[in-house]
Amino acid sequence: MTQPNEMNIERESMEFDVVIIGAGPAGLSAAIRLKQLSHRNGRELSVVVLEKGSEVGAHILSGAVFDPIALDQLLPDWKAEGAPVDTPVTVDRFYFLGPAGSLRIPNFLMPPLMSNHGNYIISLGNLCRWLASKAEELGVEIYPGFAAAELLYNDNGSIRGVATGDMGISRDGELKDSFMPGMELHGKYILIAEGAKGSLAKELMKRFDLDKDTEPQKYGIGLKELWEVDPEKHSPGLVQHTMGWPLDNRTGGGSFLYHFGENLVSVGFVVHLNYQNPYLSPFDEFQKFKTHPLIRNLFVGGKRIAYGARAITEGGWQSIPRLIFPGGALIGCSAGFVNVPKIKGSHNAMASGMMAAEAVFEAIVEQRQNDMLRAYTSAFQASHVAKDLKRVRNVKPLWSKFGTILGVALGGMDMWLNSLLPFLKYTLKHGKPDYATLSPAAKCEPIRYPKPDGIVTFDKLSSVFLSSTNHEEDQPVHLRLRDPEIPIKQNLPLYAEPATRYCPAAVYEVIEGADGEMKFQINAQNCVHCKTCDIKDPAQNIDWVCPEGGGGPNYPNM
Ligand SMILES: Cc1cc2nc3c(=O)[nH]c(=O)nc-3n(C[C@H](O)[C@H](O)[C@H](O)COP(=O)(O)OP(=O)(O)OC[C@H]3O[C@@H](n4cnc5c(N)ncnc54)[C@H](O)[C@@H]3O)c2cc1C
Ligand code: SF4
């Protein structure tokens, strides 16, 4: 069947029972659960997963300390079946850093729910690759290299499906010889599993007012490097977190450092995107962190293998939007299920995918389609995911309001209280959305970062090279400015155009043209799809939309 799109070009369409957008832990768990239910009940269902990365896992970036609670429920024999989940956490350390020293917080002071006992250090990308192979064995169709670029609606306003992006359109919008129109995928239900700040979820949020009664979603930017270190310095199973230096007391965030596999260390740094000083550069804070005396020596003599960045949802319980809309549901970090103090969301993403799948299966068995999946909302409210998020709901607001030292101490007390007295009801608010927290540049101190040493610290461009990001250059820019004048006329004088610093991939530059005029340049081919610009631009002038499918980073095992 062919359908005309907005350019009046006919496109093919395909019918499925369920269309899932995104092959992350949420999308793949939903797909697997759907097929398990369909095989168990003798009711064949067609399930398709679209993934914008060139392969499953190519766009996945996480820590990752992994809680197997949801994997145990999804594929109980995962150990025997060879899941890449094989470095158990053996040591858990937590430090507060000052410029030259560090203070270890004793484990007995940490609330029990912060413990990583029973968890594993993994590459989430590799776990997704494995989950995809399991899904395909069960009959799920997975199409990597295809971005879902457009939502399709029925006449009654419910979601009918999605269309993949057209391929072969030039930067100026002309059709090239290689032009291939997108394809429509229609489904009885559509599950949105795009991860933090997805482009389709953003449209759905607005169209169905999904976040009308909730606090604004909060985010952090997480930067990560994968290193191969000297075997003498490698301690498989060691998990180390820090907070404090180099961030000041008013800027939330911290580091993670996980030893796993064959001499591999995942090191990363999260900066909460409600920071105020527009001169702050999360990338440079990360590089500076690695120069701390507690940290630097680990990497001397080692080799940096990969680099990347990704936004992480931080709003938690009070920012969860309405999960359902006519014809579909938000799952995983499209809704935002990260437990912030634990920096863990993949187990909750998987569990939400399974719950949504169960609601979809029940609906299809009842001969329903394109309606509200209320059973998913009820299952979520009663789930361990809701319990997990409720107990830590006040930590992020306390941190934002009182700064790192007092806020984290109060957050710790609040977690103890909520663990011991789970009936406590008070919920603190987050306040402003992250784009509204910058102070004018004129009121802030510029921050001078040290030059990279090429041993443990590096510049942005050599880092972007290690993300293996790649986009067809002659295609429309996928970072759309609602008003092209704003960066130079408004953001530059007011905030010294922060995009040049918050973007971890040197996509945005302010350059002086031959005529002496300042110009805003977008190097879209460098983009690593972290979505920070869509979140932090103070004028909310940047819309991140999907580039041609297959474009973006090619993370090996992040
Ligand atoms: C730096 C960092 C460290 C973290 N550490 C941990 C940790 O240690 N432990 C833990 O449990 N969690 C951690 N998390 C959180 C965890 O990674 C997320 O909660 C989890 O990945 C969410 O899974 P998801 O399936 O919802 O989304 P994602 O993992 O983001 O997957 C979404 C997928 O959808 C694809 N996609 C998006 N839009 C489209 C589209 N329109 N069309 C087609 N495909 C699309 C993406 O390419 C991607 O493959 C961390 C996150 C970050 C950023
Ligand atoms: S352009 Fe935006 S999404 Fe791309 S890397 Fe930069 S901040 Fe991230």
Side-chain angles (χ1 to χ4, degrees), residues 468-483:
S468 304
T469 195
N470 183 37
H471 292 90
E472 161 62 51
E473 289 209 17
D474 188 16
Q475 65 169 305
V477 172
H478 70 280
L479 302 144
R480 293 193 188 152
L481 300 182
R482 294 184 188 182
D483 177 350

PDB file of all heavy atoms in Angstrom, residues 468-483:
ATOM      1  N   SER A 468      33.356   7.759  16.937  1.00  0.00           N
ATOM      2  CA  SER A 468      33.108   7.246  15.580  1.00  0.00           C
ATOM      3  C   SER A 468      31.788   7.770  15.025  1.00  0.00           C
ATOM      4  O   SER A 468      31.092   7.054  14.296  1.00  0.00           O
ATOM      5  CB  SER A 468      33.094   5.718  15.549  1.00  0.00           C
ATOM      6  OG  SER A 468      34.280   5.221  16.069  1.00  0.00           O
ATOM      7  N   THR A 469      31.448   9.012  15.396  1.00  0.00           N
ATOM      8  CA  THR A 469      30.174   9.535  14.877  1.00  0.00           C
ATOM      9  C   THR A 469      30.324   9.857  13.396  1.00  0.00           C
ATOM     10  O   THR A 469      31.384  10.260  12.930  1.00  0.00           O
ATOM     11  CB  THR A 469      29.688  10.754  15.691  1.00  0.00           C
ATOM     12  OG1 THR A 469      28.318  10.989  15.385  1.00  0.00           O
ATOM     13  CG2 THR A 469      30.490  12.010  15.423  1.00  0.00           C
ATOM     14  N   ASN A 470      29.245   9.637  12.680  1.00  0.00           N
ATOM     15  CA  ASN A 470      29.304   9.771  11.238  1.00  0.00           C
ATOM     16  C   ASN A 470      27.907  10.127  10.723  1.00  0.00           C
ATOM     17  O   ASN A 470      26.938   9.477  11.104  1.00  0.00           O
ATOM     18  CB  ASN A 470      29.757   8.405  10.670  1.00  0.00           C
ATOM     19  CG  ASN A 470      29.917   8.438   9.186  1.00  0.00           C
ATOM     20  OD1 ASN A 470      30.362   9.448   8.635  1.00  0.00           O
ATOM     21  ND2 ASN A 470      29.537   7.353   8.527  1.00  0.00           N
ATOM     22  N   HIS A 471      27.835  11.190   9.950  1.00  0.00           N
ATOM     23  CA  HIS A 471      26.545  11.544   9.319  1.00  0.00           C
ATOM     24  C   HIS A 471      26.791  11.833   7.849  1.00  0.00           C
ATOM     25  O   HIS A 471      27.810  12.430   7.514  1.00  0.00           O
ATOM     26  CB  HIS A 471      25.948  12.823   9.937  1.00  0.00           C
ATOM     27  CG  HIS A 471      25.491  12.674  11.343  1.00  0.00           C
ATOM     28  ND1 HIS A 471      26.294  12.901  12.423  1.00  0.00           N
ATOM     29  CD2 HIS A 471      24.279  12.316  11.856  1.00  0.00           C
ATOM     30  CE1 HIS A 471      25.618  12.694  13.547  1.00  0.00           C
ATOM     31  NE2 HIS A 471      24.393  12.325  13.230  1.00  0.00           N
ATOM     32  N   GLU A 472      25.870  11.460   6.989  1.00  0.00           N
ATOM     33  CA  GLU A 472      25.905  11.909   5.602  1.00  0.00           C
ATOM     34  C   GLU A 472      25.927  13.446   5.645  1.00  0.00           C
ATOM     35  O   GLU A 472      25.071  14.060   6.278  1.00  0.00           O
ATOM     36  CB  GLU A 472      24.642  11.370   4.901  1.00  0.00           C
ATOM     37  CG  GLU A 472      24.251  12.057   3.615  1.00  0.00           C
ATOM     38  CD  GLU A 472      25.293  11.938   2.531  1.00  0.00           C
ATOM     39  OE1 GLU A 472      25.736  10.810   2.258  1.00  0.00           O
ATOM     40  OE2 GLU A 472      25.699  12.978   1.980  1.00  0.00           O
ATOM     41  N   GLU A 473      26.954  14.065   5.025  1.00  0.00           N
ATOM     42  CA  GLU A 473      27.105  15.520   5.187  1.00  0.00           C
ATOM     43  C   GLU A 473      26.050  16.316   4.433  1.00  0.00           C
ATOM     44  O   GLU A 473      25.578  17.344   4.910  1.00  0.00           O
ATOM     45  CB  GLU A 473      28.507  15.955   4.759  1.00  0.00           C
ATOM     46  CG  GLU A 473      29.530  15.484   5.763  1.00  0.00           C
ATOM     47  CD  GLU A 473      30.761  16.349   5.863  1.00  0.00           C
ATOM     48  OE1 GLU A 473      30.734  17.500   5.390  1.00  0.00           O
ATOM     49  OE2 GLU A 473      31.744  15.839   6.416  1.00  0.00           O
ATOM     50  N   ASP A 474      25.680  15.822   3.229  1.00  0.00           N
ATOM     51  CA  ASP A 474      24.723  16.588   2.423  1.00  0.00           C
ATOM     52  C   ASP A 474      23.296  16.154   2.750  1.00  0.00           C
ATOM     53  O   ASP A 474      22.645  15.446   1.991  1.00  0.00           O
ATOM     54  CB  ASP A 474      25.037  16.377   0.932  1.00  0.00           C
ATOM     55  CG  ASP A 474      24.212  17.305   0.063  1.00  0.00           C
ATOM     56  OD1 ASP A 474      23.656  18.294   0.604  1.00  0.00           O
ATOM     57  OD2 ASP A 474      24.094  17.041  -1.152  1.00  0.00           O
ATOM     58  N   GLN A 475      22.838  16.560   3.919  1.00  0.00           N
ATOM     59  CA  GLN A 475      21.453  16.289   4.329  1.00  0.00           C
ATOM     60  C   GLN A 475      20.981  17.492   5.143  1.00  0.00           C
ATOM     61  O   GLN A 475      21.807  18.264   5.650  1.00  0.00           O
ATOM     62  CB  GLN A 475      21.355  15.007   5.166  1.00  0.00           C
ATOM     63  CG  GLN A 475      22.066  15.066   6.505  1.00  0.00           C
ATOM     64  CD  GLN A 475      21.721  13.878   7.423  1.00  0.00           C
ATOM     65  OE1 GLN A 475      20.558  13.633   7.701  1.00  0.00           O
ATOM     66  NE2 GLN A 475      22.749  13.179   7.876  1.00  0.00           N
ATOM     67  N   PRO A 476      19.686  17.699   5.267  1.00  0.00           N
ATOM     68  CA  PRO A 476      19.221  18.849   6.055  1.00  0.00           C
ATOM     69  C   PRO A 476      19.784  18.784   7.475  1.00  0.00           C
ATOM     70  O   PRO A 476      19.901  17.694   8.045  1.00  0.00           O
ATOM     71  CB  PRO A 476      17.694  18.678   6.060  1.00  0.00           C
ATOM     72  CG  PRO A 476      17.395  17.814   4.882  1.00  0.00           C
ATOM     73  CD  PRO A 476      18.572  16.912   4.710  1.00  0.00           C
ATOM     74  N   VAL A 477      20.136  19.951   8.028  1.00  0.00           N
ATOM     75  CA  VAL A 477      20.711  19.997   9.377  1.00  0.00           C
ATOM     76  C   VAL A 477      19.661  19.477  10.369  1.00  0.00           C
ATOM     77  O   VAL A 477      18.520  19.933  10.360  1.00  0.00           O
ATOM     78  CB  VAL A 477      21.117  21.442   9.722  1.00  0.00           C
ATOM     79  CG1 VAL A 477      21.539  21.564  11.177  1.00  0.00           C
ATOM     80  CG2 VAL A 477      22.259  21.879   8.807  1.00  0.00           C
ATOM     81  N   HIS A 478      20.065  18.507  11.190  1.00  0.00           N
ATOM     82  CA  HIS A 478      19.059  17.908  12.094  1.00  0.00           C
ATOM     83  C   HIS A 478      18.956  18.662  13.425  1.00  0.00           C
ATOM     84  O   HIS A 478      18.260  18.207  14.335  1.00  0.00           O
ATOM     85  CB  HIS A 478      19.349  16.415  12.310  1.00  0.00           C
ATOM     86  CG  HIS A 478      20.565  16.138  13.125  1.00  0.00           C
ATOM     87  ND1 HIS A 478      21.853  16.169  12.622  1.00  0.00           N
ATOM     88  CD2 HIS A 478      20.700  15.822  14.429  1.00  0.00           C
ATOM     89  CE1 HIS A 478      22.707  15.887  13.573  1.00  0.00           C
ATOM     90  NE2 HIS A 478      22.035  15.684  14.688  1.00  0.00           N
ATOM     91  N   LEU A 479      19.668  19.802  13.538  1.00  0.00           N
ATOM     92  CA  LEU A 479      19.548  20.644  14.731  1.00  0.00           C
ATOM     93  C   LEU A 479      18.852  21.899  14.251  1.00  0.00           C
ATOM     94  O   LEU A 479      19.478  22.783  13.654  1.00  0.00           O
ATOM     95  CB  LEU A 479      20.941  20.904  15.295  1.00  0.00           C
ATOM     96  CG  LEU A 479      21.598  19.553  15.605  1.00  0.00           C
ATOM     97  CD1 LEU A 479      23.065  19.553  15.340  1.00  0.00           C
ATOM     98  CD2 LEU A 479      21.244  19.107  16.995  1.00  0.00           C
ATOM     99  N   ARG A 480      17.545  21.927  14.419  1.00  0.00           N
ATOM    100  CA  ARG A 480      16.740  22.982  13.786  1.00  0.00           C
ATOM    101  C   ARG A 480      16.572  24.167  14.713  1.00  0.00           C
ATOM    102  O   ARG A 480      16.136  24.005  15.857  1.00  0.00           O
ATOM    103  CB  ARG A 480      15.361  22.433  13.412  1.00  0.00           C
ATOM    104  CG  ARG A 480      15.468  21.408  12.323  1.00  0.00           C
ATOM    105  CD  ARG A 480      14.084  21.129  11.765  1.00  0.00           C
ATOM    106  NE  ARG A 480      14.151  20.010  10.841  1.00  0.00           N
ATOM    107  CZ  ARG A 480      13.159  19.188  10.581  1.00  0.00           C
ATOM    108  NH1 ARG A 480      11.990  19.358  11.185  1.00  0.00           N
ATOM    109  NH2 ARG A 480      13.302  18.206   9.715  1.00  0.00           N
ATOM    110  N   LEU A 481      16.889  25.346  14.192  1.00  0.00           N
ATOM    111  CA  LEU A 481      16.699  26.567  14.976  1.00  0.00           C
ATOM    112  C   LEU A 481      15.317  27.115  14.650  1.00  0.00           C
ATOM    113  O   LEU A 481      15.003  27.354  13.484  1.00  0.00           O
ATOM    114  CB  LEU A 481      17.757  27.606  14.604  1.00  0.00           C
ATOM    115  CG  LEU A 481      19.220  27.196  14.826  1.00  0.00           C
ATOM    116  CD1 LEU A 481      20.151  28.335  14.454  1.00  0.00           C
ATOM    117  CD2 LEU A 481      19.444  26.778  16.275  1.00  0.00           C
ATOM    118  N   ARG A 482      14.508  27.312  15.664  1.00  0.00           N
ATOM    119  CA  ARG A 482      13.175  27.897  15.397  1.00  0.00           C
ATOM    120  C   ARG A 482      13.347  29.300  14.855  1.00  0.00           C
ATOM    121  O   ARG A 482      12.642  29.724  13.964  1.00  0.00           O
ATOM    122  CB  ARG A 482      12.339  27.923  16.671  1.00  0.00           C
ATOM    123  CG  ARG A 482      12.011  26.532  17.136  1.00  0.00           C
ATOM    124  CD  ARG A 482      11.101  26.548  18.333  1.00  0.00           C
ATOM    125  NE  ARG A 482      10.993  25.177  18.831  1.00  0.00           N
ATOM    126  CZ  ARG A 482      10.252  24.808  19.839  1.00  0.00           C
ATOM    127  NH1 ARG A 482       9.521  25.688  20.475  1.00  0.00           N
ATOM    128  NH2 ARG A 482      10.207  23.563  20.222  1.00  0.00           N
ATOM    129  N   ASP A 483      14.291  30.068  15.444  1.00  0.00           N
ATOM    130  CA  ASP A 483      14.589  31.413  14.964  1.00  0.00           C
ATOM    131  C   ASP A 483      16.117  31.517  14.816  1.00  0.00           C
ATOM    132  O   ASP A 483      16.834  31.533  15.823  1.00  0.00           O
ATOM    133  CB  ASP A 483      14.073  32.435  15.994  1.00  0.00           C
ATOM    134  CG  ASP A 483      14.410  33.859  15.594  1.00  0.00           C
ATOM    135  OD1 ASP A 483      15.201  34.046  14.641  1.00  0.00           O
ATOM    136  OD2 ASP A 483      13.896  34.783  16.261  1.00  0.00           O
TER     137      ASP A 483
END
